[in-house]
Amino acid sequence: MTAVQHLAALTALELALALAASCAYAQFVKGNEAVGLNADGTARVETPPLPKATLGKPCPATNPACTASGWRMLETKDGLRECTEFYARPGTCRASTYGIEQRPRRWIVKSKGLWLQCERPDLGSRCISLSALPNTVIQ
């Protein structure tokens, strides 16, 4: 089996885990604690917990007005997604266009138990708390 055939055989999550474990390739953030393996070997993917305050109606990923402040790039059980919010509620995410289309993006990751938004898909880039004002970069 060639390397290309092997990669094609991997599921998106397996590929995300493999790349995250080796280095920060494009859309995968090395060190993102939200993506990992459970003790039994099954995949574990976390998204930021919903706040205690009641949220308004979700802004759907299909509505262009919902992304005026940029996309939040999140690893989900469905792989890397572009979301209109941090929490990845149903309807707020779509398939990633990273590497295909340039858009304002922030990378949502978990590091040292804290949820952060990073300027680039790299924990070494400017990362700040989800509650702080972001620095969105066209990518």
Side-chain angles (χ1 to χ4, degrees):
M1 178 181 281
T2 68
V4 172
Q5 289 170 325
H6 180 70
L7 286 176
L10 293 175
T11 67
L13 181 56
E14 289 171 324
L15 182 57
L17 292 171
L19 291 174
S22 61
C23 62
Y25 288 101
Q27 59 200 22
F28 305 102
V29 182
K30 180 181 179 183
N32 183 1
E33 296 170 4
V35 179
L37 292 175
N38 292 318
D40 64 1
T42 59
R44 176 192 48 77
V45 180
E46 297 176 64
T47 55
L50 291 171
K52 292 179 182 171
T54 303
L55 294 173
K57 182 179 174 185
C59 199
T62 56
N63 182 348
C66 293
T67 60
S69 64
W71 290 98
R72 284 81 172 169
M73 304 301 292
L74 280 158
E75 287 289 345
T76 71
K77 62 180 179 59
D78 298 320
L80 183 70
R81 309 288 285 173
E82 295 176 342
C83 303
T84 60
E85 63 179 26
F86 303 127
Y87 312 108
R89 290 187 288 172
T92 64
C93 298
R94 68 179 194 180
S96 172
T97 62
Y98 183 74
I100 299 167
E101 298 178 15
Q102 289 195 341
R103 301 182 176 280
R105 292 182 168 91
R106 286 178 273 153
W107 299 82
I108 310 307
V109 299
K110 188 175 184 182
S111 179
K112 298 178 185 170
L114 301 173
W115 285 99
L116 305 171
Q117 50 187 323
C118 297
E119 187 176 80
R120 301 204 178 273
D122 179 358
L123 283 172
S125 68
R126 187 183 316 173
C127 296
I128 57 175
S129 166
L130 288 187
S131 61
L133 293 174
N135 183 32
T136 304
V137 176
I138 304 294
Q139 305 176 40

